[in-house]
Amino acid sequence: MTIPTRRIGALTVSAQGLGCMGMSQGYGAGDETESIATVHRALDLGVTLLDTANVYGRGANEELVGRAVKGRRDGVVLATKFGIAAQSPDGPTIRGDAAYVREQIDLSLGRLGLDHVDLYYAHRVDPNVPVEETVGAMAELVTAGKVRYLGLSEASAASIRRAHAVHPITALQSEWSLWTRGIEDEVLPTCRELGIGIVPFSPLGRGFLTGKLNASPDADADLRTKMPRFGGENFEHNRAIVAALEALAAERGVTAGQLALAWVQSRGDDVVPIPGTKRRGYLEENVAAATIELSDSDIAAIEAAAPADAFAGDRYAAGMMRAVGK
Ligand SMILES: NC(=O)c1ccc[n+]([C@@H]2O[C@H](COP(=O)([O-])OP(=O)(O)OC[C@H]3O[C@@H](n4cnc5c(N)ncnc54)[C@H](OP(=O)(O)O)[C@@H]3O)[C@@H](O)[C@H]2O)c1
C-alpha cells in the first residue's frame, strides 16, 4: 500500500494527509504512544502532509507532532496554524494582527522543535484586521525562512483574492465532505482560478460518515457535543442517511468512510483531504481509500445515498459559525 502524490499550489504532497488534532483534543481520550505510532505508520505509508495548529490541545498537539517527526523531518510537509486565540461559549477570539502572527510562529516552532514549518495557515480570517496586514506579516516569515508556504482556512472568496494579491496562497483548508459542501459555489472556483490547492478538513464528517458513531457524543471535552448535527434528533436523522452510505459501501466491498474519502478525493487533482485519526488501524483504512477510483455512476450513487441537503443541523454552534467564511 503506497499513496500517490498530488500538487497543492507549488507544493507536492501525498494525495491524503494526516490530521493530528484528535491526538490531543476533541474526539475522546488520546494515547501518546499510539498517536506517535500512527504518525510513524503514516510516514511509512508515504503520507507526507501532517496537520496541526497552535490551538490544538493548547499547544500539546504541536509538541506531540514535534516528538513524532524528530529524526524523520526530511520529506515531511509540516502544516500548522495560528489565529484562534481563545475559545468561549460565545465563539472564538480570532487574531490576525501582525504582532500576533510574529509572536505565534516562534511559539509554534519552539513547541515543534523545528526551525521552519512548510505550510502556515491563518486558521480564521480576523474580521477586525485587514487580511493584507495578516498575510503581509505571514509573508515576512517566508522571507525570514521560518515558513515555506502560506495558507488560509475557512476564508471567503473575497479574502482569498485579497490575500493572494499580497503573497501567493498555496492552500485553502476548509471543511468539505459529503455533508459539508459550502465551498463549492464561490470559494472553490476562486481557488482554481488562482492556482490554490484545496485541503478539506473533517472529510469523514468528524467520524460521522464512517458509520461507526452510533450515539451522540456526550463527554464535555468532545467537540461534537456542541455541534448541532450531532445532537439528539439530528443525530438519529443523519445516522439513517449514513446507513444508506454503509449499504452502498458494502456492495462495493469497502467501508462507508472509504467511500466518503474517495468522494472528496474525486473532486479534483488539486484536492488533498486530511482525515484525522489517532489509531493505526483507522489510518490504514483511510490511506487505502486514496487509491479508490470512482466512476461517474459511483459518484452519482454516493450523492444520491447521502445528499448534502438531506442532513440536519449546522456544522458548528452559532459562535463558531460566525467565524467562518470571513
Ligand atoms: N482548519 C480547521 O478549522 C480545522 C477544523 C477541524 C479539523 N481540522 C484538521 O483536519 C483534520 C481532520 O479533521 P477531523 O479530525 O476534525 O475530522 P475527520 O477526519 O472527518 O474525522 C475524525 C474522526 O473520525 C474518526 N475516524 C478516522 N478514521 C476512521 C475510520 N477509518 N473509521 C472510523 N472512524 C474513523 C476519528 O477517530 P479517532 O480519533 O478515534 O481516531 C475521529 O473521531 C484534523 O485532525 C485537523 O488537523 C482543521
Side-chain angles (χ1 to χ4, degrees):
M1 182 163 55
T2 47
I3 191 165
T5 57
R6 286 188 169 185
R7 297 270 296 178
I8 44 169
L11 263 173
T12 298
V13 293
S14 51
Q16 186 186 106
L18 174 63
C20 297
M21 177 183 79
M23 297 175 185
S24 306
Q25 70 165 45
Y27 307 132
D31 169 297
E32 164 122 1
T33 305
E34 179 61 16
S35 291
I36 289 184
T38 302
V39 174
H40 289 170
R41 184 81 183 116
L43 300 180
D44 291 343
L45 292 172
V47 172
T48 59
L49 178 62
L50 300 180
D51 191 78
T52 181
N54 63 348
V55 72
Y56 298 161
R58 297 171 189 256
N61 195 238
E62 288 183 327
E63 290 173 356
L64 185 155
V65 171
R67 283 193 287 280
V69 299
K70 205 168 165 54
R72 301 194 61 167
R73 175 75 170 97
D74 284 356
V76 171
V77 177
L78 202 305
T80 193
K81 320 181 191 79
F82 68 90
I84 300 182
Q87 301 267 21
S88 83
D90 298 331
T93 302
I94 308 301
R95 281 191 62 185
D97 53 291
Y100 180 77
V101 176
R102 293 182 194 119
E103 168 196 279
Q104 289 302 311
I105 187 63
D106 289 336
L107 294 173
S108 287
L109 291 174
R111 286 187 291 258
L112 286 159
L114 300 176
D115 62 1
H116 73 277
V117 295
D118 301 290
L119 186 52
Y120 200 38
Y121 293 101
H123 209 153
R124 295 288 183 272
V125 174
D126 185 341
N128 301 312
V129 171
V131 74
E132 288 81 2
E133 174 179 333
T134 306
V135 177
M138 294 167 77
E140 288 170 15
L141 305 180
V142 176
T143 308
K146 296 179 181 184
V147 167
R148 288 175 62 220
Y149 296 97
L150 305 187
L152 302 174
S153 177
E154 290 288 348
S156 67
S159 293
I160 293 167
R161 213 174 268 289
R162 284 169 56 189
H164 194 73
V166 175
H167 185 95
I169 299 298
T170 294
L172 184 272
Q173 180 177 135
S174 287
E175 186 167 354
W176 197 13
S177 68
L178 280 169
W179 72 350
T180 304
R181 299 185 58 174
I183 69 165
E184 291 176 19
D185 292 342
E186 283 186 34
V187 168
L188 187 61
T190 301
C191 287
R192 291 199 161 142
E193 179 197 323
L194 300 175
I196 299 170
I198 316 293
V199 177
F201 75 74
S202 303
L204 294 167
R206 301 181 187 266
F208 193 83
L209 299 171
T210 68
K212 290 178 192 148
L213 205 61
N214 285 308
S216 286
D218 59 6
D220 273 355
D222 195 310
L223 290 175
R224 295 168 293 195
T225 55
K226 296 168 193 73
M227 296 172 177
R229 286 174 166 179
F230 288 89
E233 284 176 14
N234 287 343
F235 186 95
E236 295 309 325
H237 173 92
N238 295 335
R239 185 68 189 78
I241 301 171
V242 171
L245 193 64
E246 286 181 289
L248 197 63
E251 281 170 22
R252 285 161 172 73
V254 297
T255 65
Q258 287 176 321
L259 269 197
L261 286 176
W263 178 86
V264 175
Q265 286 155 192
S266 74
R267 304 299 82 200
D269 288 342
D270 54 354
V271 178
V272 174
I274 48 167
T277 183
K278 49 186 177 285
R279 302 166 208 277
R280 281 168 289 182
Y282 286 171
L283 170 86
E284 287 169 6
E285 180 183 330
N286 299 342
V287 167
T291 46
I292 296 176
E293 298 276 348
L294 297 176
S295 65
D296 289 348
S297 70
D298 289 331
I299 290 168
I302 292 168
E303 292 179 350
D309 57 6
F311 289 98
D314 283 340
R315 63 189 176 112
Y316 280 122
M320 275 300 274
M321 278 303 270
R322 281 194 291 276
V324 298
K326 291 287 185 283

